[in-house]
Amino acid sequence: MHTQYNHCKWRGNVLKVELAHPHYKQRLQAEWDAQAAAAEAAASSDNMDEFAPAPMDVSEPLHITAPSHSRRRLKVLQVPLDKPPNAKGKKHSFPTAKEAPLSALAWDYEDLPD
């Protein structure tokens, strides 16, 4: 029936007939059902080897594209994965804090003002 009225002129306008979108409650229920099915499938599969990350090849450097100062060009940064990067600039480090004894942290209620 919709093909009969599609692209038909009525009162000077061309009609466009399409299937209606589903009601938002039906769409939400379908999404919830799909999420529940995915959660059940994930819970039922005990094989965690599928989700283990693949080993990385550290012999080749990692190439990262980053925008340069001019907006038209991209810089390609090469990061070696087999050795730690050289830090440039100031290194900020803090001295290791010693734990205070509990006797220094405790107080008596008699010492507090009323």
Side-chain angles (χ1 to χ4, degrees):
M1 174 133 181
H2 63 83
T3 58
Q4 185 177 6
Y5 292 110
N6 198 15
H7 300 293
C8 177
K9 282 196 172 186
W10 184 68
R11 291 189 181 179
N13 296 320
V14 177
L15 298 178
K16 183 178 180 183
V17 181
E18 296 177 338
L19 290 175
H21 292 288
H23 195 264
Y24 77 97
K25 289 184 180 179
Q26 292 175 346
R27 183 177 48 84
L28 285 175
Q29 187 63 42
E31 288 178 10
W32 293 335
D33 293 342
Q35 288 176 355
E40 287 177 10
S44 66
S45 68
D46 294 334
N47 189 3
M48 293 304 290
D49 294 336
E50 298 173 11
F51 302 108
M56 284 183 46
D57 182 20
V58 295
S59 62
E60 295 183 13
L62 181 67
H63 297 279
I64 302 173
T65 57
S68 63
H69 294 291
S70 65
R71 293 185 182 187
R72 294 183 185 183
R73 291 190 169 188
L74 292 176
K75 286 194 294 187
V76 178
L77 305 173
Q78 292 185 3
V79 180
L81 297 176
D82 55 349
K83 58 183 178 179
N86 296 333
K88 294 181 180 178
K90 294 182 180 179
K91 291 184 182 179
H92 299 284
S93 62
F94 298 98
T96 307
K98 295 179 183 178
E99 292 185 18
L102 289 177
S103 61
L105 299 176
W107 62 85
D108 293 330
Y109 288 105
E110 298 166 357
D111 297 340
L112 295 176
D114 289 331

